[in-house]
Amino acid sequence: MEVVISFDGVPLPFHIKVGLSDTIADSRRAAVEVKNEDLELQTWSDLPAELLELIFSRLTLDDNVRASVVCKRWHSVATAVRVVNQSPWIMYFPKFGDWYDFFDPVQRKTYSLELPELSGSRVCYTKDGWLLLYRPRTHRVFFFNPFTREIIKLPRFEMTYQIVAFSCAPTSPDCVLLTVKHVSPTVVAISTCYPGATEWTTVNYQNRLPFVSSIWNKLVFCNGLFYCLSLTGWLGVFNPSERTWSVLSVPPPQCPENFFAKNWWKGKFMTEQDGDVIVIYTCSSENPIIFKLDQTLMEWEEMTTLDGITLFASFLTSHSRTDLPGIMRNSVYFSKVRFYGKRCISFSLDDYRYYPRKQWHDWGEQDPFENIWVEPPKDFSGFT
């Protein structure tokens, strides 16, 4: 179809038609060029802050530092999500075989590692990257570092109905192991050992009620003392230097009555952070309640914020960290992964909700020896 260009009904000469067409084309081309120039003027620093946070949170510490010197805006975002501390990983113990899975919640990656050294053993506790393990058939107790494959043997000891913990890495001269076992309503048996010892030392202590010893109790080492949270919420304290045991006159944390439902004792966790003893209570679909021991007033104080701290809760051992990616701060991460092994269940105190939504977990249904949080060495990037 021919298009005739006219002015007041009079057809324009051909050369005018061509000139007008060229002018229109030039105008369109200029508009496109201006738009392209505007796009070219946009730089990486113009990316939305949310996208920058997502990118920078997945960088290693060295790459994060390099990115932070690009410009002021990148520096602000990079430092906000910078990982100074290494996040604990979840270690899964297989029901059969020698292959173990390790899940990194920061990179959301899973690594598989064959560890025949752990055959026939069950995990008891972890700290500073070391596992404490026990072989029920032989009563063999030993330390194992899954990142270095180093083994440190301990004297044989029957650990059937007691809880156990240790103070620090077994390579330290200050390492002490502790077990607490119920003897009677008024007596607990406390056994201690250390790397290089030839035997365990066991002493019975008078146990002031209403403290009740149980395999469901929690142990943590804090400020040179072992704290033991009883089934009913009372706190026992063992001083390894003076070899003394006492039960603090601190009433248990106050939880709503619906927290004491079926298997309620499996849904509590204890850790320490910078000298503070912290307890986490969970119950099915209810939001967790977190308490900190006020050692001045000798009472439990409910925490509505963690001030940027991240807690990692598992049945046998729990940990705390500072300076993790921004999205992980002020949250509790549980040792359960959803979405085909891509995301931990967590609870945010900022948003006061679980992530993923409605992904709370009934701890009464989980095998307590199925997994545990373990701490990789600093800047550890993965198994090769």
Side-chain angles (χ1 to χ4, degrees):
M1 180 179 69
E2 183 180 0
V3 178
V4 178
I5 302 177
S6 61
F7 182 74
D8 285 344
V10 179
L12 295 175
F14 177 76
H15 70 278
I16 297 179
K17 293 180 186 179
V18 173
L20 183 58
S21 298
D22 290 343
T23 301
I24 294 173
D26 290 342
S27 298
R28 289 175 178 173
R29 190 180 302 111
V32 171
E33 288 176 355
V34 169
K35 184 176 182 180
N36 289 337
E37 286 177 3
D38 289 340
L39 290 174
E40 290 175 0
L41 289 175
Q42 290 183 344
T43 65
W44 284 93
S45 62
D46 295 319
L47 287 173
E50 295 80 7
L51 183 57
L52 286 174
E53 287 182 0
L54 180 62
I55 295 171
F56 289 171
S57 66
R58 295 178 179 272
L59 298 179
T60 63
L61 178 60
D62 289 342
D63 289 340
N64 179 288
V65 172
R66 294 188 187 100
S68 68
V69 299
V70 171
C71 62
K72 289 183 178 180
R73 188 162 179 268
W74 278 31
H75 180 271
S76 175
V77 177
T79 53
V81 300
R82 179 169 296 165
V83 180
V84 177
N85 257 330
Q86 174 75 274
S87 165
W89 291 8
I90 304 177
M91 181 178 180
Y92 290 93
F93 287 76
K95 292 183 179 179
F96 307 100
D98 298 325
W99 283 92
Y100 296 76
D101 288 338
F102 295 80
F103 178 75
D104 177 356
V106 175
Q107 300 295 333
R108 297 185 183 181
K109 290 183 179 179
T110 298
Y111 304 89
S112 295
L113 189 65
E114 189 176 16
L115 299 173
E117 303 95 323
L118 306 188
S119 180
S121 66
R122 64 174 174 84
V123 66
C124 300
Y125 200 79
T126 69
K127 192 177 180 70
D128 297 339
W130 287 84
L131 308 174
L132 180 64
L133 299 118
Y134 174 64
R135 286 197 173 98
R137 290 186 179 181
T138 61
H139 298 166
R140 172 64 69 188
V141 185
F142 63 102
F143 285 107
F144 180 76
N145 189 318
F147 306 101
T148 64
R149 309 290 283 263
E150 187 178 355
I151 296 176
I152 297 178
K153 295 182 179 180
L154 295 163
R156 296 177 189 268
F157 188 71
E158 184 177 358
M159 290 196 297
T160 50
Y161 298 104
Q162 61 253 63
I163 53 175
V164 59
F166 57 97
S167 59
C168 57
T171 51
S172 168
D174 298 323
C175 180
V176 179
L177 292 90
L178 173 87
T179 75
V180 181
K181 182 179 180 180
H182 173 81
V183 176
S184 73
T186 58
V187 176
V188 292
I190 294 181
S191 302
T192 56
C193 191
Y194 57 90
T198 57
E199 62 181 4
W200 290 71
T201 301
T202 302
V203 178
N204 288 352
Y205 290 87
Q206 288 297 313
N207 189 37
R208 183 175 64 84
L209 291 176
F211 184 94
V212 178
S213 183
S214 163
I215 60 170
W216 306 111
N217 290 0
K218 305 297 177 183
L219 273 174
V220 69
F221 186 77
C222 179
N223 289 333
L225 303 172
F226 284 99
Y227 288 85
C228 181
L229 184 70
S230 78
L231 190 67
T232 52
W234 292 87
L235 206 57
V237 180
F238 181 76
N239 186 324
S241 299
E242 301 177 1
R243 303 194 61 81
T244 57
W245 166 262
S246 61
V247 178
L248 300 182
S249 55
V250 179
Q254 295 298 310
C255 293
E257 290 185 4
N258 59 349
F259 266 61
F260 301 98
K262 181 182 177 182
N263 295 323
W264 61 269
W265 55 85
K266 290 186 177 181
K268 63 179 181 179
F269 312 90
M270 183 167 68
T271 186
E272 67 87 23
Q273 169 60 37
D274 196 24
D276 288 321
V277 177
I278 298 175
V279 172
I280 308 163
Y281 278 79
T282 68
C283 181
S284 220
S285 60
E286 298 293 329
N287 290 332
I289 303 178
I290 304 173
F291 298 93
K292 178 176 70 175
L293 179 64
D294 187 324
Q295 300 185 45
T296 302
L297 300 177
M298 295 306 288
E299 63 183 20
W300 291 104
E301 172 191 347
E302 184 173 348
M303 302 178 70
T304 57
T305 179
L306 294 174
D307 295 322
I309 296 169
T310 309
L311 302 180
F312 297 86
S314 59
F315 185 79
L316 295 170
T317 310
S318 298
H319 303 279
S320 64
R321 283 291 182 277
T322 57
D323 299 320
L324 290 181
I327 195 172
M328 296 182 70
R329 298 176 186 177
N330 215 37
S331 298
V332 182
Y333 277 72
F334 298 96
S335 58
K336 191 69 177 179
V337 177
R338 294 295 199 211
F339 292 104
Y340 306 99
K342 294 297 183 183
R343 186 168 185 174
C344 284
I345 293 178
S346 64
F347 181 82
S348 169
L349 274 77
D350 288 331
D351 304 328
Y352 206 65
R353 52 157 286 194
Y354 276 98
Y355 285 91
R357 190 178 293 276
K358 297 183 180 180
Q359 287 293 322
W360 51 269
H361 182 62
D362 185 357
W363 297 101
E365 299 175 356
Q366 183 170 326
D367 179 357
F369 303 106
E370 179 181 78
N371 57 52
I372 197 168
W373 288 105
V374 60
E375 302 162 296
K378 189 175 181 180
D379 298 331
F380 185 80
S381 58
F383 297 104
T384 56

